Amino acid sequence: GAQLSGRADGRIDVTDGGELDFVFPADALRHAPAEWDDDLHAEYIDYIHAPGTLKRRPKQSPKELAVNLPGIAWSHVKSASRLAAGTVLMMLTGVAVVSLVPGVPLAVKLLVDSVLPLMVLGTFALAGALRYAVSSLAMIGVRRDIRRAAFLHIQRAHRRDHPHVEFGGLANNLLQQLRPAWRGLDATLIDKEITAVAIDLDLEPTEARGTYSLTTLRDRLADVAAHRAALEVELEFGAPPEDDDEVIFDSEIEHDRVRALA
């Protein structure tokens, strides 16, 4: 929010209740694109459907996840795996030659015994690091989609004036949509991410499992609305301060003390 405010000439207000309110000028979207690129963020889940339903985006493969790893393509990962397999075959061939062929020079034996094993370890480390990076980024994307779905679910319940929000159906829907692309996904991870969203929004759990009250959230939103209504003067964005003088701070180090000079 702070980065977006800085880029869009916005400001951050604080209500009497301690809530942060991000305010943007009316022309903040003037330079925004008229149409969003469907592949801008490469989400796996599509949210533009009937309320309460989530579906896989048609452009996404049902058994693959989009991963944004700059400079690395899937062909590089497969090539690293082939390279690791090739070094293993090279080492096995060298061992067979040294064992079966008599009179092998000492230099060749040293090459087979020392250099080739190091090559195998290096290529396996490279292939393993690439696959780990891809797997980690894929999991980050899965967690992102789960959290975005949870926020959207809460927003829909709030707009419909529901007193509570129930995540049981959402969790089952997410598991059904994401499981084909990520076989290691289980209901426990989905529940943890949804619970994290509820904690971030300070939602109060009810006696029913997976159900949270929206009363506290509505009170916080009402506080923000009251704060905005109290602002009777129009905010001027981008105008430099009139009465504030520029202050230049300098400092110098004196032994083990720091003295600030204004």
Side-chain angles (χ1 to χ4, degrees), residues 68-213:
N68 183 19
L69 191 58
I72 301 297
W74 182 242
S75 60
H76 297 151
V77 179
K78 294 190 293 185
S79 298
S81 300
R82 288 195 295 265
L83 178 62
T87 53
V88 172
L89 293 177
M90 184 186 304
M91 185 183 68
L92 294 178
T93 302
V95 172
V97 170
V98 171
S99 302
L100 300 177
V101 177
V104 176
L106 180 60
V108 176
K109 292 183 178 181
L110 292 177
L111 176 66
V112 173
D113 294 339
S114 59
V115 177
L116 290 183
L118 293 178
M119 290 179 59
V120 172
L121 292 177
T123 54
F124 267 85
L126 175 61
L130 284 177
R131 287 189 173 272
Y132 177 79
V134 170
S135 177
S136 299
L137 290 177
M139 178 53 67
I140 291 175
V142 170
R143 293 175 180 267
R144 172 205 61 203
D145 281 352
I146 294 174
R147 290 201 173 214
R148 291 192 66 215
F151 281 117
L152 180 62
H153 195 66
I154 295 172
Q155 183 187 52
R156 287 172 173 170
H158 169 68
R159 290 180 175 179
R160 295 179 178 182
D161 294 329
H162 293 173
H164 306 89
V165 57
E166 195 273 328
F167 292 107
L170 176 66
N172 294 331
N173 194 350
L174 286 170
L175 183 62
Q176 181 181 2
Q177 297 296 330
L178 294 172
R179 188 66 176 272
W182 189 268
R183 291 176 295 178
L185 182 65
D186 56 9
T188 303
L189 176 62
I190 296 178
D191 292 339
K192 287 182 179 180
E193 293 299 323
I194 292 178
T195 302
V197 171
I199 293 175
D200 290 341
L201 295 178
D202 290 334
L203 301 183
E204 297 181 357
T206 63
E207 297 180 356
R209 184 178 181 275
T211 304
Y212 295 83
S213 174

Side-chain angles (χ1 to χ4, degrees), residues 15 61 79 100 122 138 145 164 184 186 203 215 217 223 228 246 260:
T15 67
S61 173
S79 298
L100 300 177
D145 281 352
H164 306 89
D186 56 9
L203 301 183
T215 302
L217 179 61
D223 181 33
R228 293 178 179 178
E246 182 180 4

Side-chain angles (χ1 to χ4, degrees), residues 4-101:
L4 183 60
S5 297
R7 294 180 179 181
D9 295 331
R11 60 178 292 171
I12 304 176
D13 290 343
V14 181
T15 67
D16 295 337
E19 300 295 335
L20 295 180
D21 187 18
F22 296 89
V23 186
F24 299 92
D27 60 347
L29 297 179
R30 177 181 301 175
H31 303 291
E35 297 181 359
W36 293 104
D37 186 359
D38 291 338
D39 293 318
L40 182 61
H41 302 291
E43 288 90 349
Y44 186 82
I45 296 296
D46 190 357
Y47 304 91
I48 309 177
H49 285 285
T53 62
L54 303 173
K55 294 183 179 180
R56 174 182 56 85
R57 292 176 57 212
K59 293 185 178 181
Q60 296 287 8
S61 173
K63 295 184 179 181
E64 297 177 357
L65 289 173
V67 176
N68 183 19
L69 191 58
I72 301 297
W74 182 242
S75 60
H76 297 151
V77 179
K78 294 190 293 185
S79 298
S81 300
R82 288 195 295 265
L83 178 62
T87 53
V88 172
L89 293 177
M90 184 186 304
M91 185 183 68
L92 294 178
T93 302
V95 172
V97 170
V98 171
S99 302
L100 300 177
V101 177

